């Protein structure tokens, strides 16, 4: 009996050792992220702002090659070079920037993954800074801003005050919905009549959340109508998507084009990620297989179109491939999140899980995961914000970090992993 118990103990220890070896990359990613986030939280605490990226410029020859255009064709769309004293330094943003919710959200996910109370304290502090946004109606990005921050706060540190914040924010998002068109308006700038961008699919989770919290079906109804209108108008027969679709006031389509991609008919990498994530969420909330089939079609397209060995896509699927072509780690992280959830919904889900795992392993490697104290406090390197505007090219982005951590959280849940066992 004693020998049997010893043998069992040895087997258990060996299994634990194998798990530590097999999932060491997960622990490395979590530890590195938590360290970076706490360093940043302390560094910017007195600024009243949120981390967004790093200030960089652009090379016109590279842009010309990537866009397939002469410099004269795109020079008017370029944003100004940052001043020399800013280059390479931390780029902060105010709370009304569309990215403001990602840093608090990252802190919440880091706390969930590791259980460090210092992360929770920082998450509460930075989430509370966003409270004034509950009064704001000037953007469609309210889901990014408030569901990523307050939504995660409600999951992990419930408070009686949070539902009211989310419901009021959802009301403001619904104020941008036009019944004649069947969509939530995205932008209030530019030459478009009623522009809707594929990114807007990501803000529907706020509306689904509001219906659960309030019992009012209207929020969910708006989200479904938006998803239904987007499906036939934003997507091509091969399930790639346009970035921008503008509608006439009677609901007919005015124009289909890109704003951040290579050209109007290209497949902008992050846009494809928004699509698979958004329709997977819509199926989760409705149980309507139409959305599941659509999410599967987008996922299959992504897996067939991304040609890089590490599964981290170039900034646009139609960009000229080469060693200097910018990658977009943010698109990869969003894709991984969508595929992990999708993997639980279909019979052949293992292939989506395996692809998401490959993405997360790549992002957790030294090729993309920043060393502690470097990268201006961000977790991931090598994302692309808007190459077409010469903006945030080959830089860290706060939303890349957020979806990377969300991906790790989903992965650990599906694998049945706990941090203290890694």
């Amino acid at each position: 009996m004693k020998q049997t118990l010893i043998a069992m103990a040895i087997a258990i220890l060996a299994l634990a050792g194998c798990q530590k070896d097999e999932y060491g990359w997960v622990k490395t990613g979590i530890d590195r992220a938590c360290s970076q986030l706490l360093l940043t939280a302390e560094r910017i605490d007195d600024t009243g702002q949120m981390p967004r990226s790093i200030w960089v410029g652009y090379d016109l020859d590279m842009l010309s090659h990537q866009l397939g255009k002469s410099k004269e064709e795109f020079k008017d769309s370029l944003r100004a070079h940052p001043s020399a004293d800013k280059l390479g330094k931390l780029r902060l943003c105010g709370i009304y920037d569309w990215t403001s919710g990602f840093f608090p959200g990252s802190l919440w996910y880091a706390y969930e993954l590791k259980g460090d109370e210092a992360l929770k304290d920082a998450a509460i502090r930075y989430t509370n800074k966003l409270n004034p946004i509950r009064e704001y109606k000037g953007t469609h990005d309210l889901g990014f801003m408030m569901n990523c921050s307050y939504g995660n706060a409600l999951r992990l540190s419930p408070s009686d005050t949070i539902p009211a914040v989310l419901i009021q924010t959802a009301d403001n998002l619904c104020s941008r919905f036009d019944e004649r068109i069947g969509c939530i308006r995205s932008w209030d700038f530019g030459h478009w009549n009623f522009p809707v961008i594929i990114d807007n699919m990501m803000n529907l989770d706020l509306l689904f959340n509001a219906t659960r919290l309030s019992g009012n079906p209207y929020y969910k109804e708006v989200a479904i109508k938006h998803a239904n209108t987007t499906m036939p108008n934003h997507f091509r027969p091969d399930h790639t998507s346009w970035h921008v679709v503008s509608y006439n006031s009677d609901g007919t389509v005015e124009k289909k084009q890109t704003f951040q991609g290579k050209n109007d008919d290209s497949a902008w990498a992050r846009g494809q990620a928004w699509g698979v994530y958004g329709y997977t969420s819509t199926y989760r909330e409705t149980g309507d297989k139409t959305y599941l089939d659509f999410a599967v079609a987008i996922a299959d397209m992504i897996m067939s179109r991304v040609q890089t060995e590490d599964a981290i896509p170039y900034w646009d699927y139609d960009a000229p491939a080469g060693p200097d072509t910018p990658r977009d780690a943010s698109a990869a992280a969003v894709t991984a999140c969508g595929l992990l959830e999708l993997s639980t919904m279909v019979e052949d889900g293992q292939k989506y899980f395996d692809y998401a795992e490959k993405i997360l392993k790549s992002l957790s490697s030294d090729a993309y995961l920043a060393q502690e104290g470097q990268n201006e406090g961000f977790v991931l390197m090598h994302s692309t914000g808007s190459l077409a505007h010469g903006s945030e090219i080959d830089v860290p982005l706060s939303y890349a970090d957020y979806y990377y951590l969300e991906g790790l959280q989903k992965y650990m849940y599906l694998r049945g992993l706990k941090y203290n066992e890694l």
Side-chain angles (χ1 to χ4, degrees):
M1 176 64 73
K2 185 177 179 180
Q3 289 180 332
T4 301
L5 290 174
I6 291 172
M8 289 175 63
I10 292 172
I12 291 171
L13 288 172
L15 182 62
C18 289
Q19 179 162 302
K20 286 180 182 293
D21 291 338
E22 184 177 359
Y23 299 113
W25 62 272
V26 179
K27 187 175 188 301
T28 297
I30 294 171
D31 287 343
R32 203 82 59 82
C34 291
S35 176
Q36 293 290 83
L37 289 166
L38 285 174
L39 287 170
T40 299
E42 181 178 357
R43 176 184 179 185
I44 69 171
D45 198 25
D46 295 331
T47 67
Q49 297 183 296
M50 299 289 178
R52 173 170 168 151
S53 184
I54 290 176
W55 290 106
V56 294
Y58 47 81
D59 177 83
L60 285 175
D61 289 333
M62 185 275 285
L63 294 183
S64 179
H65 176 63
Q66 288 295 312
L67 295 171
K69 299 177 181 178
S70 69
K71 298 170 191 177
E72 290 297 316
E73 290 180 272
F74 63 83
K75 68 175 184 179
D76 292 338
S77 68
L78 294 175
R79 291 167 190 164
H81 270 286
S83 57
D85 61 311
K86 286 184 176 181
L87 289 174
K89 295 182 180 178
L90 177 64
R91 179 180 179 181
L92 297 173
C93 65
I95 65 168
Y96 295 103
D97 187 90
W98 78 274
T99 67
S100 64
F102 293 118
F103 182 65
S106 293
L107 288 165
W108 281 117
Y109 273 125
Y111 165 65
E112 182 176 12
L113 288 163
K114 194 169 184 178
D116 186 339
E117 290 296 317
L119 289 162
K120 180 180 179 181
D121 292 343
I124 292 171
R125 190 164 70 252
Y126 279 90
T127 296
N128 287 338
K129 293 177 187 290
L130 301 183
N131 190 266
I133 296 172
R134 65 190 297 178
E135 307 286 347
Y136 188 53
K137 299 180 181 180
T139 181
H140 73 107
D141 287 314
L142 294 169
F144 284 135
M145 299 158 81
M146 298 296 268
N147 209 48
C148 294
S149 53
Y150 277 92
N152 280 310
L154 184 62
R155 279 195 316 112
L156 300 170
S157 184
S159 163
D160 291 343
T161 62
I162 295 176
V165 172
L166 291 171
I167 292 168
Q168 183 177 358
T169 305
D171 286 333
N172 293 338
L173 182 58
C174 286
S175 73
R176 303 180 65 82
F177 178 74
D178 189 312
E179 188 72 47
R180 298 167 301 172
I181 293 170
C183 273
I184 299 164
R185 183 185 183 98
S186 293
W187 294 328
D188 295 330
F189 66 85
H191 57 275
W192 304 280
N193 181 63
F194 192 97
V196 178
I197 61 176
I198 190 60
D199 318 40
N200 216 346
M201 286 297 300
M202 300 294 286
N203 291 292
L204 303 188
D205 270 331
L206 171 65
L207 302 183
F208 293 133
N209 205 4
T211 284
R212 281 193 299 273
L213 293 172
S214 67
N216 185 345
Y218 176 69
Y219 305 107
K220 183 175 180 178
E221 290 167 0
V222 168
I224 292 171
K225 288 178 181 177
H226 182 95
N228 288 345
T229 304
T230 299
M231 193 182 298
N233 293 323
H234 255 89
F235 288 85
R236 307 179 182 101
D238 66 355
H239 290 92
T240 60
S241 73
W242 282 277
H243 179 203
V244 188
V245 174
S246 182
Y247 294 89
N248 297 306
S249 298
D250 63 359
T252 57
V253 171
E254 176 193 27
K255 183 179 293 185
K256 298 182 179 184
Q257 63 178 117
T258 193
F259 189 66
Q260 291 174 254
K262 179 178 181 289
N263 56 55
D264 289 345
D265 295 317
S266 71
W268 174 53
R270 196 160 57 250
Q272 315 315 302
W274 296 144
V276 71
Y277 189 115
Y279 280 99
T280 300
S281 295
T282 307
Y283 171 69
R284 179 222 307 139
E285 299 295 335
T286 64
D288 186 334
K289 194 171 180 294
T290 302
Y291 306 120
L292 177 62
D293 292 342
F294 204 71
V296 165
I298 301 171
D300 290 345
M301 175 275 296
I302 289 173
M303 292 167 60
S304 69
R305 288 292 305 272
V306 176
Q307 300 300 319
T308 54
E309 291 186 6
D310 60 7
I312 311 302
Y314 298 121
W315 69 281
D316 190 295
Y317 292 178
D318 295 293
D324 298 325
T325 302
R327 303 291 185 98
D328 189 4
S330 75
V334 175
T335 297
C337 292
L339 295 185
L340 285 171
E341 184 164 17
L342 183 62
S343 74
T344 68
M345 299 170 171
V346 292
E347 290 185 4
D348 59 345
Q350 189 64 45
K351 69 178 183 180
Y352 302 119
F353 183 92
D354 291 345
Y355 193 86
E357 182 181 58
K358 181 177 182 179
I359 290 173
L360 291 175
K361 282 184 175 180
S362 293
L363 293 177
S364 301
S365 72
D366 287 342
Y368 295 93
L369 187 66
Q371 296 296 318
E372 183 176 335
Q374 299 183 14
N375 203 36
E376 289 297 314
F378 291 94
V379 180
L380 294 181
M381 304 177 285
H382 307 311
S383 290
T384 299
S386 184
L387 185 142
H389 298 94
S391 177
E392 298 176 327
I393 302 169
D394 193 21
V395 292
L397 293 169
S398 59
Y399 43 97
D401 291 356
Y402 175 86
Y403 288 106
Y404 171 64
L405 287 162
E406 180 180 314
L408 289 179
Q409 186 271 343
K410 290 178 183 291
Y411 181 83
M412 289 186 68
Y413 174 79
L414 293 176
R415 282 289 195 200
L417 302 174
K418 297 184 184 303
Y419 175 79
N420 59 9
E421 297 172 355
L422 295 175

